[in-house]
Amino acid sequence: MAREDHWYVPGKQEHEKQHIFEHETIQVLQNHAQYGRHKEFYQLLLSIHDQNKRNDIAQMCGYKDVNDAMEKTK
C-alpha cells in the first residue's frame, strides 16, 4: 500500500506475523494432506498453538480433527 511515498510492508506487527505464519503453514498443510503425508501434516499442525484452529484446519484438510490426523500417522 502506497501513501505519500511511503510503503507499508505487512508483517511488522506481532498479529501480522502470526497471520502470515498461519497462512503459509496452511498452504503446506493442504499439500501434505493432498498427498497423504499424514505424519508431516500432524507434526506441522502442532505448530499452530490454538487447539480450535488446529481442529478447524484439520477439518478443512479432510481430517475429522487433530486426533484423526494423529491416528493416520500410525
Side-chain angles (χ1 to χ4, degrees):
M1 169 187 333
R3 203 171 5 135
E4 298 179 24
D5 295 328
H6 174 76
W7 285 87
Y8 177 73
V9 178
K12 293 183 179 182
Q13 303 294 324
E14 193 57 39
H15 69 280
E16 293 171 329
K17 290 178 185 178
Q18 181 67 26
H19 177 79
I20 291 169
F21 167 77
E22 289 176 358
H23 177 76
E24 292 172 348
T25 301
I26 287 170
Q27 290 178 327
V28 175
L29 286 165
Q30 288 174 320
N31 187 273
H32 287 327
Q34 180 180 4
Y35 291 102
R37 295 187 298 258
H38 306 295
K39 183 177 180 178
E40 291 87 348
F41 178 91
Y42 179 70
Q43 289 173 337
L44 184 56
L45 185 63
L46 293 179
S47 70
I48 304 292
H49 299 292
D50 183 273
Q51 178 67 35
N52 291 326
K53 282 185 183 181
R54 285 196 301 262
N55 281 327
D56 289 346
I57 292 167
Q59 290 174 0
M60 183 175 67
C61 291
Y63 297 91
K64 294 177 196 169
D65 56 21
V66 174
N67 294 326
D68 183 41
M70 181 187 67
E71 286 297 316
K72 294 193 191 270
T73 65
K74 297 177 181 180

PDB file of all heavy atoms in Angstrom, residues 36-46 63 65-74:
ATOM      1  N   GLY A  36      -1.289 -37.287   1.152  1.00  0.00           N
ATOM      2  CA  GLY A  36      -1.332 -38.352   2.149  1.00  0.00           C
ATOM      3  C   GLY A  36      -0.113 -38.430   3.043  1.00  0.00           C
ATOM      4  O   GLY A  36       0.181 -39.494   3.593  1.00  0.00           O
ATOM      5  N   ARG A  37       0.582 -37.333   3.212  1.00  0.00           N
ATOM      6  CA  ARG A  37       1.741 -37.300   4.109  1.00  0.00           C
ATOM      7  C   ARG A  37       1.233 -36.966   5.516  1.00  0.00           C
ATOM      8  O   ARG A  37       1.382 -35.840   6.003  1.00  0.00           O
ATOM      9  CB  ARG A  37       2.766 -36.293   3.600  1.00  0.00           C
ATOM     10  CG  ARG A  37       3.361 -36.688   2.247  1.00  0.00           C
ATOM     11  CD  ARG A  37       4.502 -35.789   1.822  1.00  0.00           C
ATOM     12  NE  ARG A  37       4.109 -34.409   1.642  1.00  0.00           N
ATOM     13  CZ  ARG A  37       3.892 -33.816   0.464  1.00  0.00           C
ATOM     14  NH1 ARG A  37       4.010 -34.489  -0.660  1.00  0.00           N
ATOM     15  NH2 ARG A  37       3.546 -32.540   0.419  1.00  0.00           N
ATOM     16  N   HIS A  38       0.617 -37.969   6.148  1.00  0.00           N
ATOM     17  CA  HIS A  38      -0.065 -37.764   7.427  1.00  0.00           C
ATOM     18  C   HIS A  38       0.891 -37.372   8.554  1.00  0.00           C
ATOM     19  O   HIS A  38       0.566 -36.503   9.359  1.00  0.00           O
ATOM     20  CB  HIS A  38      -0.845 -39.021   7.818  1.00  0.00           C
ATOM     21  CG  HIS A  38      -1.783 -39.479   6.760  1.00  0.00           C
ATOM     22  ND1 HIS A  38      -2.866 -38.748   6.342  1.00  0.00           N
ATOM     23  CD2 HIS A  38      -1.787 -40.609   6.008  1.00  0.00           C
ATOM     24  CE1 HIS A  38      -3.512 -39.397   5.400  1.00  0.00           C
ATOM     25  NE2 HIS A  38      -2.871 -40.529   5.166  1.00  0.00           N
ATOM     26  N   LYS A  39       2.039 -38.012   8.609  1.00  0.00           N
ATOM     27  CA  LYS A  39       2.987 -37.712   9.690  1.00  0.00           C
ATOM     28  C   LYS A  39       3.466 -36.263   9.594  1.00  0.00           C
ATOM     29  O   LYS A  39       3.477 -35.537  10.593  1.00  0.00           O
ATOM     30  CB  LYS A  39       4.177 -38.666   9.628  1.00  0.00           C
ATOM     31  CG  LYS A  39       5.163 -38.476  10.754  1.00  0.00           C
ATOM     32  CD  LYS A  39       6.276 -39.505  10.688  1.00  0.00           C
ATOM     33  CE  LYS A  39       7.253 -39.296  11.826  1.00  0.00           C
ATOM     34  NZ  LYS A  39       8.315 -40.304  11.811  1.00  0.00           N
ATOM     35  N   GLU A  40       3.845 -35.832   8.398  1.00  0.00           N
ATOM     36  CA  GLU A  40       4.302 -34.459   8.200  1.00  0.00           C
ATOM     37  C   GLU A  40       3.175 -33.473   8.494  1.00  0.00           C
ATOM     38  O   GLU A  40       3.398 -32.428   9.096  1.00  0.00           O
ATOM     39  CB  GLU A  40       4.813 -34.255   6.767  1.00  0.00           C
ATOM     40  CG  GLU A  40       6.092 -34.995   6.466  1.00  0.00           C
ATOM     41  CD  GLU A  40       5.870 -36.428   5.990  1.00  0.00           C
ATOM     42  OE1 GLU A  40       4.730 -36.954   6.092  1.00  0.00           O
ATOM     43  OE2 GLU A  40       6.843 -37.029   5.526  1.00  0.00           O
ATOM     44  N   PHE A  41       1.959 -33.840   8.069  1.00  0.00           N
ATOM     45  CA  PHE A  41       0.793 -32.997   8.338  1.00  0.00           C
ATOM     46  C   PHE A  41       0.625 -32.797   9.839  1.00  0.00           C
ATOM     47  O   PHE A  41       0.516 -31.674  10.324  1.00  0.00           O
ATOM     48  CB  PHE A  41      -0.478 -33.625   7.743  1.00  0.00           C
ATOM     49  CG  PHE A  41      -1.715 -32.837   8.031  1.00  0.00           C
ATOM     50  CD1 PHE A  41      -2.153 -31.849   7.167  1.00  0.00           C
ATOM     51  CD2 PHE A  41      -2.468 -33.076   9.180  1.00  0.00           C
ATOM     52  CE1 PHE A  41      -3.299 -31.111   7.434  1.00  0.00           C
ATOM     53  CE2 PHE A  41      -3.610 -32.347   9.456  1.00  0.00           C
ATOM     54  CZ  PHE A  41      -4.021 -31.360   8.585  1.00  0.00           C
ATOM     55  N   TYR A  42       0.605 -33.898  10.570  1.00  0.00           N
ATOM     56  CA  TYR A  42       0.366 -33.848  12.011  1.00  0.00           C
ATOM     57  C   TYR A  42       1.463 -33.053  12.724  1.00  0.00           C
ATOM     58  O   TYR A  42       1.174 -32.211  13.579  1.00  0.00           O
ATOM     59  CB  TYR A  42       0.259 -35.258  12.583  1.00  0.00           C
ATOM     60  CG  TYR A  42       0.025 -35.276  14.067  1.00  0.00           C
ATOM     61  CD1 TYR A  42      -1.193 -34.863  14.593  1.00  0.00           C
ATOM     62  CD2 TYR A  42       1.017 -35.682  14.941  1.00  0.00           C
ATOM     63  CE1 TYR A  42      -1.420 -34.860  15.966  1.00  0.00           C
ATOM     64  CE2 TYR A  42       0.809 -35.686  16.309  1.00  0.00           C
ATOM     65  CZ  TYR A  42      -0.405 -35.269  16.808  1.00  0.00           C
ATOM     66  OH  TYR A  42      -0.618 -35.268  18.163  1.00  0.00           O
ATOM     67  N   GLN A  43       2.712 -33.310  12.383  1.00  0.00           N
ATOM     68  CA  GLN A  43       3.812 -32.604  13.043  1.00  0.00           C
ATOM     69  C   GLN A  43       3.723 -31.096  12.806  1.00  0.00           C
ATOM     70  O   GLN A  43       3.925 -30.312  13.728  1.00  0.00           O
ATOM     71  CB  GLN A  43       5.152 -33.141  12.552  1.00  0.00           C
ATOM     72  CG  GLN A  43       5.434 -34.528  13.055  1.00  0.00           C
ATOM     73  CD  GLN A  43       6.690 -35.139  12.447  1.00  0.00           C
ATOM     74  OE1 GLN A  43       7.136 -34.743  11.372  1.00  0.00           O
ATOM     75  NE2 GLN A  43       7.241 -36.122  13.133  1.00  0.00           N
ATOM     76  N   LEU A  44       3.420 -30.696  11.574  1.00  0.00           N
ATOM     77  CA  LEU A  44       3.313 -29.263  11.280  1.00  0.00           C
ATOM     78  C   LEU A  44       2.066 -28.664  11.921  1.00  0.00           C
ATOM     79  O   LEU A  44       2.090 -27.533  12.400  1.00  0.00           O
ATOM     80  CB  LEU A  44       3.299 -29.038   9.766  1.00  0.00           C
ATOM     81  CG  LEU A  44       3.292 -27.587   9.299  1.00  0.00           C
ATOM     82  CD1 LEU A  44       4.474 -26.810   9.870  1.00  0.00           C
ATOM     83  CD2 LEU A  44       3.293 -27.531   7.781  1.00  0.00           C
ATOM     84  N   LEU A  45       0.995 -29.432  11.959  1.00  0.00           N
ATOM     85  CA  LEU A  45      -0.244 -28.953  12.575  1.00  0.00           C
ATOM     86  C   LEU A  45      -0.014 -28.556  14.031  1.00  0.00           C
ATOM     87  O   LEU A  45      -0.592 -27.587  14.521  1.00  0.00           O
ATOM     88  CB  LEU A  45      -1.330 -30.021  12.475  1.00  0.00           C
ATOM     89  CG  LEU A  45      -2.720 -29.647  12.963  1.00  0.00           C
ATOM     90  CD1 LEU A  45      -3.303 -28.510  12.125  1.00  0.00           C
ATOM     91  CD2 LEU A  45      -3.632 -30.858  12.922  1.00  0.00           C
ATOM     92  N   LEU A  46       0.851 -29.273  14.702  1.00  0.00           N
ATOM     93  CA  LEU A  46       1.134 -28.973  16.114  1.00  0.00           C
ATOM     94  C   LEU A  46       1.823 -27.621  16.301  1.00  0.00           C
ATOM     95  O   LEU A  46       1.849 -27.100  17.409  1.00  0.00           O
ATOM     96  CB  LEU A  46       1.973 -30.086  16.737  1.00  0.00           C
ATOM     97  CG  LEU A  46       1.273 -31.436  16.869  1.00  0.00           C
ATOM     98  CD1 LEU A  46       2.222 -32.456  17.492  1.00  0.00           C
ATOM     99  CD2 LEU A  46      -0.017 -31.335  17.661  1.00  0.00           C
ATOM    100  N   TYR A  63      -9.526 -34.079   7.445  1.00  0.00           N
ATOM    101  CA  TYR A  63      -9.483 -34.916   8.639  1.00  0.00           C
ATOM    102  C   TYR A  63     -10.678 -34.563   9.516  1.00  0.00           C
ATOM    103  O   TYR A  63     -11.232 -33.475   9.405  1.00  0.00           O
ATOM    104  CB  TYR A  63      -8.196 -34.671   9.425  1.00  0.00           C
ATOM    105  CG  TYR A  63      -6.930 -35.036   8.682  1.00  0.00           C
ATOM    106  CD1 TYR A  63      -6.251 -34.099   7.911  1.00  0.00           C
ATOM    107  CD2 TYR A  63      -6.406 -36.314   8.756  1.00  0.00           C
ATOM    108  CE1 TYR A  63      -5.086 -34.423   7.225  1.00  0.00           C
ATOM    109  CE2 TYR A  63      -5.239 -36.655   8.081  1.00  0.00           C
ATOM    110  CZ  TYR A  63      -4.595 -35.706   7.322  1.00  0.00           C
ATOM    111  OH  TYR A  63      -3.446 -36.039   6.651  1.00  0.00           O
ATOM    112  N   ASP A  65     -10.526 -34.259  12.850  1.00  0.00           N
ATOM    113  CA  ASP A  65      -9.956 -33.334  13.836  1.00  0.00           C
ATOM    114  C   ASP A  65      -8.480 -33.676  14.008  1.00  0.00           C
ATOM    115  O   ASP A  65      -7.945 -34.497  13.264  1.00  0.00           O
ATOM    116  CB  ASP A  65     -10.704 -33.399  15.170  1.00  0.00           C
ATOM    117  CG  ASP A  65     -10.752 -34.791  15.774  1.00  0.00           C
ATOM    118  OD1 ASP A  65      -9.915 -35.643  15.415  1.00  0.00           O
ATOM    119  OD2 ASP A  65     -11.631 -35.042  16.615  1.00  0.00           O
ATOM    120  N   VAL A  66      -7.841 -33.078  14.972  1.00  0.00           N
ATOM    121  CA  VAL A  66      -6.415 -33.319  15.212  1.00  0.00           C
ATOM    122  C   VAL A  66      -6.172 -34.786  15.546  1.00  0.00           C
ATOM    123  O   VAL A  66      -5.199 -35.387  15.079  1.00  0.00           O
ATOM    124  CB  VAL A  66      -5.897 -32.412  16.359  1.00  0.00           C
ATOM    125  CG1 VAL A  66      -4.470 -32.755  16.713  1.00  0.00           C
ATOM    126  CG2 VAL A  66      -6.000 -30.953  15.981  1.00  0.00           C
ATOM    127  N   ASN A  67      -7.055 -35.379  16.335  1.00  0.00           N
ATOM    128  CA  ASN A  67      -6.880 -36.781  16.727  1.00  0.00           C
ATOM    129  C   ASN A  67      -6.940 -37.703  15.514  1.00  0.00           C
ATOM    130  O   ASN A  67      -6.208 -38.690  15.442  1.00  0.00           O
ATOM    131  CB  ASN A  67      -7.921 -37.192  17.765  1.00  0.00           C
ATOM    132  CG  ASN A  67      -7.730 -36.451  19.064  1.00  0.00           C
ATOM    133  OD1 ASN A  67      -6.615 -36.136  19.457  1.00  0.00           O
ATOM    134  ND2 ASN A  67      -8.827 -36.154  19.735  1.00  0.00           N
ATOM    135  N   ASP A  68      -7.811 -37.392  14.565  1.00  0.00           N
ATOM    136  CA  ASP A  68      -7.901 -38.181  13.340  1.00  0.00           C
ATOM    137  C   ASP A  68      -6.597 -38.106  12.560  1.00  0.00           C
ATOM    138  O   ASP A  68      -6.095 -39.116  12.059  1.00  0.00           O
ATOM    139  CB  ASP A  68      -9.077 -37.686  12.483  1.00  0.00           C
ATOM    140  CG  ASP A  68      -9.263 -38.507  11.221  1.00  0.00           C
ATOM    141  OD1 ASP A  68      -9.143 -39.744  11.283  1.00  0.00           O
ATOM    142  OD2 ASP A  68      -9.564 -37.910  10.169  1.00  0.00           O
ATOM    143  N   ALA A  69      -6.026 -36.930  12.487  1.00  0.00           N
ATOM    144  CA  ALA A  69      -4.741 -36.765  11.798  1.00  0.00           C
ATOM    145  C   ALA A  69      -3.662 -37.575  12.506  1.00  0.00           C
ATOM    146  O   ALA A  69      -2.840 -38.227  11.850  1.00  0.00           O
ATOM    147  CB  ALA A  69      -4.357 -35.294  11.750  1.00  0.00           C
ATOM    148  N   MET A  70      -3.677 -37.562  13.836  1.00  0.00           N
ATOM    149  CA  MET A  70      -2.698 -38.319  14.602  1.00  0.00           C
ATOM    150  C   MET A  70      -2.861 -39.817  14.348  1.00  0.00           C
ATOM    151  O   MET A  70      -1.889 -40.541  14.145  1.00  0.00           O
ATOM    152  CB  MET A  70      -2.830 -38.034  16.089  1.00  0.00           C
ATOM    153  CG  MET A  70      -1.818 -38.780  16.950  1.00  0.00           C
ATOM    154  SD  MET A  70      -2.092 -38.590  18.708  1.00  0.00           S
ATOM    155  CE  MET A  70      -3.639 -39.447  18.921  1.00  0.00           C
ATOM    156  N   GLU A  71      -4.092 -40.302  14.339  1.00  0.00           N
ATOM    157  CA  GLU A  71      -4.361 -41.721  14.132  1.00  0.00           C
ATOM    158  C   GLU A  71      -3.844 -42.192  12.775  1.00  0.00           C
ATOM    159  O   GLU A  71      -3.397 -43.324  12.642  1.00  0.00           O
ATOM    160  CB  GLU A  71      -5.855 -42.006  14.241  1.00  0.00           C
ATOM    161  CG  GLU A  71      -6.386 -41.976  15.663  1.00  0.00           C
ATOM    162  CD  GLU A  71      -5.760 -43.050  16.544  1.00  0.00           C
ATOM    163  OE1 GLU A  71      -5.634 -44.205  16.082  1.00  0.00           O
ATOM    164  OE2 GLU A  71      -5.375 -42.730  17.685  1.00  0.00           O
ATOM    165  N   LYS A  72      -3.922 -41.357  11.777  1.00  0.00           N
ATOM    166  CA  LYS A  72      -3.485 -41.751  10.438  1.00  0.00           C
ATOM    167  C   LYS A  72      -1.968 -41.830  10.325  1.00  0.00           C
ATOM    168  O   LYS A  72      -1.444 -42.365   9.354  1.00  0.00           O
ATOM    169  CB  LYS A  72      -4.058 -40.795   9.399  1.00  0.00           C
ATOM    170  CG  LYS A  72      -5.566 -40.912   9.320  1.00  0.00           C
ATOM    171  CD  LYS A  72      -6.106 -40.220   8.113  1.00  0.00           C
ATOM    172  CE  LYS A  72      -7.602 -40.118   8.170  1.00  0.00           C
ATOM    173  NZ  LYS A  72      -8.367 -41.126   7.634  1.00  0.00           N
ATOM    174  N   THR A  73      -1.233 -41.331  11.315  1.00  0.00           N
ATOM    175  CA  THR A  73       0.225 -41.416  11.284  1.00  0.00           C
ATOM    176  C   THR A  73       0.698 -42.805  11.707  1.00  0.00           C
ATOM    177  O   THR A  73       1.848 -43.148  11.495  1.00  0.00           O
ATOM    178  CB  THR A  73       0.892 -40.371  12.203  1.00  0.00           C
ATOM    179  OG1 THR A  73       0.561 -40.638  13.566  1.00  0.00           O
ATOM    180  CG2 THR A  73       0.490 -38.970  11.815  1.00  0.00           C
ATOM    181  N   LYS A  74      -0.184 -43.588  12.292  1.00  0.00           N
ATOM    182  CA  LYS A  74       0.195 -44.919  12.800  1.00  0.00           C
ATOM    183  C   LYS A  74       0.159 -45.957  11.714  1.00  0.00           C
ATOM    184  O   LYS A  74      -0.521 -45.930  10.766  1.00  0.00           O
ATOM    185  CB  LYS A  74      -0.713 -45.312  13.952  1.00  0.00           C
ATOM    186  CG  LYS A  74      -0.566 -44.383  15.135  1.00  0.00           C
ATOM    187  CD  LYS A  74      -1.501 -44.739  16.222  1.00  0.00           C
ATOM    188  CE  LYS A  74      -1.349 -43.772  17.379  1.00  0.00           C
ATOM    189  NZ  LYS A  74      -2.236 -44.062  18.455  1.00  0.00           N
TER     190      LYS A  74
END
